[in-house]
């Protein structure tokens, strides 16, 4: 929106042409989302408290969580509003990739909002049924996958890149749709499973979003992409503004979500942020790198899968509780120790992911 205005004003004052620079608009996107979250956050928390929209704590979980009962939840709405507003202000709204990212994020946000609303406001402990939730996720994910497949202009846009190998490219054909669907839905649920401790999910999300911003910028630049042997996909560079807004909104939310949390993001935040990471990774052709950088999300998901499989097959549990962050809590680790150590692992994994740009 402001890019259009700046372009118009630049015909009268050339200085406004500075807003055409993607890097500047990305920085402004980060700052806009961050400052908005910091200023609006207290009002959102008070509104949630007034309406008694508070977290319900599982009685079979760690005893240290009992004090979290009633903490405002559904704070993910704050994140979505900040990301959307900042993106609309600073991104090129003629860019189809930006709109796909926004709509996927908001689509999953609606699913999460309905689930949270039923659990917290309507006091339905089950929320959306697993079938209804997965159906909603599948519809949004599949539509996004089909749209991306239809707008692909070059084979590179539907080819799977294998990290650390310069020439190992796997043409997917229509298999691209299947992969895209699973990446979007899988990442959404993985982030949701990780969101179990104060700040545990949001900082890895911010780190991965920032790293994907680097990939988006390079993929959308003909010179850099050729130098780094990654596909050149025109238009993907504009996703840096969207990802910058995600970084800013995430950091702003972390201000209130850090231990001890004043607010939780709920499914409305976790499902939407995970889906956003997934769809962006697909658009910049870095699905496997997302698997590396989001290793914490993968670990949490695999721990749940192994726990369920082990109990069904043997009647025994591999972990004291799943997802695995609860296992460490029940082993006696204080919650802040679990959180910070998982953050450190996320930093390491994101650096490994970024290293794939040169280690080929």
């Amino acid at each position: 929106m402001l890019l259009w205005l700046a372009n118009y004003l630049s015909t009268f004052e050339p200085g406004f042409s500075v807003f055409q620079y993607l890097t500047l608009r990305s920085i402004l996107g980060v700052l806009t989302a961050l400052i908005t979250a910091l200023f609006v956050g207290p009002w959102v928390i008070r509104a949630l408290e007034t309406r008694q929209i508070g977290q319900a704590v599982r009685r079979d979980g760690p005893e240290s969580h009992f004090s979290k009962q009633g903490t405002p939840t559904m704070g993910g709405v704050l994140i979505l509003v900040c990301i959307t507003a900042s993106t609309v202000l600073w991104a090129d709204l003629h860019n189809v990739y930006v709109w796909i990212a926004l709509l996927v994020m908001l689509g999953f946000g609606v699913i999460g909002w309905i689930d949270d609303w039923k659990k917290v406001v309507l006091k339905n402990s089950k929320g959306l049924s697993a079938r209804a939730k997965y159906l909603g996720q599948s519809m949004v994910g599949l539509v996004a996958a089909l749209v991306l497949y239809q707008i692909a202009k070059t084979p590179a846009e539907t080819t799977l890149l294998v990290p650390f190998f310069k020439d190992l490219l796997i043409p997917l054909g229509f298999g691209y749709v299947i992969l895209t669907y699973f990446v979007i839905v899988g990442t959404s649920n993985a982030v949701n499973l990780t969101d179990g401790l104060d700040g545990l999910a949001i900082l890895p999300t911010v780190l991965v979003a920032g790293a994907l911003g680097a990939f988006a910028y390079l993929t959308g630049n003909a010179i850099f992409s050729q130098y780094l042997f990654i596909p050149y996909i025109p238009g993907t560079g504009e996703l840096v503004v969207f990802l910058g807004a995600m970084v800013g909104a995430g950091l702003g939310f972390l201000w209130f979500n850090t231990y001890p949390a004043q607010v939780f993001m709920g499914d409305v935040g976790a499902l939407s942020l995970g889906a956003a990471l997934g769809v962006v990774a697909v658009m910049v052709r870095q699905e496997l790198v997302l698997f590396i950088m989001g290793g914490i999300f993968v670990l949490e998901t695999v721990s749940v899968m192994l726990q369920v499989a082990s109990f069904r097959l043997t009647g025994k549990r591999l972990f004291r509780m799943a997802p695995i962050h609860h296992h460490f809590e029940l082993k006696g680790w204080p919650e802040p120790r679990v959180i910070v150590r998982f953050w450190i692992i996320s930093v390491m994994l994101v650096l490994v992911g970024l290293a794939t740009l040169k280690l080929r």
Side-chain angles (χ1 to χ4, degrees):
M1 183 182 296
L2 292 183
L3 176 61
W4 175 86
L5 179 61
N7 288 337
Y8 173 74
L9 293 176
S10 65
T11 60
F12 305 100
E13 173 52 56
F16 282 101
S17 61
V18 70
F19 289 100
Q20 295 179 3
Y21 290 103
L22 180 58
T23 48
L24 174 62
R25 289 187 288 112
S26 301
I27 293 171
L28 292 173
V30 174
L31 292 175
T32 300
L34 174 58
I35 294 171
T36 303
L38 291 176
F39 276 93
V40 178
W43 178 84
V44 171
I45 293 172
R46 286 195 298 271
L48 293 171
E49 289 175 335
T50 300
R51 290 164 176 77
Q52 297 183 337
I53 301 178
Q55 180 73 26
V57 177
R58 292 171 54 181
R59 307 316 296 179
D60 60 342
E63 292 184 8
S64 60
H65 286 216
F66 294 168
S67 61
K68 301 176 187 287
Q69 180 75 30
T71 301
T73 188
M74 296 183 71
V77 171
L78 171 66
I79 303 175
L80 298 189
V81 168
C82 293
I83 293 174
T84 303
S86 184
T87 301
V88 169
L89 282 175
W90 297 112
D92 178 2
L93 298 183
H94 293 101
N95 186 288
V96 65
Y97 295 113
V98 169
W99 280 110
I100 291 173
L102 269 176
L103 292 175
V104 167
M105 180 188 73
L106 293 175
F108 275 77
V110 169
I111 297 167
W113 186 88
I114 295 173
D115 188 39
D116 285 336
W117 186 265
K118 293 188 71 172
K119 285 188 291 188
V120 179
V121 178
L122 302 183
K123 307 302 180 184
N124 181 341
S125 60
K126 295 183 179 180
L128 271 178
S129 67
R131 179 176 298 179
K133 184 186 294 186
Y134 189 68
L135 177 62
Q137 291 176 315
S138 296
M139 290 175 62
V140 178
L142 190 57
V143 168
L146 289 170
V147 169
L148 286 170
Y149 182 72
Q150 288 297 321
I151 66 173
K153 297 181 177 64
T154 64
E157 296 178 51
T158 57
T159 297
L160 181 65
L161 276 67
V162 180
F164 303 110
F165 293 92
K166 186 184 302 183
D167 300 317
L168 186 51
L169 308 173
I170 305 174
L172 296 174
F174 192 75
Y176 168 87
V177 173
I178 300 172
L179 176 64
T180 299
Y181 163 78
F182 279 111
V183 170
I184 295 173
V185 175
T187 309
S188 173
N189 287 309
V191 173
N192 194 34
L193 287 172
T194 306
D195 184 36
L197 300 180
D198 300 355
L200 179 60
I202 191 62
L203 188 60
T205 298
V206 166
L207 293 171
V208 174
L212 284 175
F215 280 102
Y217 181 81
L218 297 170
T219 302
N221 186 292
I223 297 174
F224 289 142
S225 59
Q226 183 179 15
Y227 172 71
L228 294 168
F229 295 97
I230 58 177
Y232 168 54
I233 305 177
T236 53
E238 199 65 27
L239 288 168
V240 180
V241 179
F242 171 78
L243 292 163
M246 187 182 295
V247 169
L251 290 175
F253 181 77
L254 181 60
W255 183 273
F256 307 103
N257 184 235
T258 190
Y259 181 86
Q262 297 173 261
V263 64
F264 301 131
M265 72 169 79
D267 283 9
V268 62
L271 291 179
S272 55
L273 292 177
L277 293 179
V279 74
V280 169
V282 167
M283 289 190 281
V284 300
R285 310 309 307 128
Q286 298 297 336
E287 300 94 334
L288 296 182
V289 172
L290 173 64
F291 188 84
I292 296 171
M293 297 193 299
I296 286 296
F297 307 139
V298 176
L299 174 65
E300 298 276 17
T301 304
V302 171
S303 71
V304 172
M305 295 170 65
L306 291 176
Q307 184 86 322
V308 172
S310 175
F311 188 75
R312 288 183 176 177
L313 293 174
T314 68
K316 297 180 180 179
R317 292 179 171 86
L318 288 176
F319 309 104
R320 297 186 181 185
M321 188 175 179
I324 199 169
H325 56 258
H326 291 315
H327 170 78
F328 290 112
E329 280 190 289
L330 293 176
K331 284 188 65 175
W333 288 21
E335 182 174 343
R337 182 184 300 171
V338 179
I339 296 166
V340 174
R341 286 182 175 176
F342 275 45
W343 284 355
I344 293 171
I345 294 171
S346 287
V347 171
M348 295 167 59
L349 293 173
V350 166
L351 291 175
V352 172
L354 289 171
T356 64
L357 285 167
K358 286 297 292 180
L359 298 179
R360 293 177 181 271

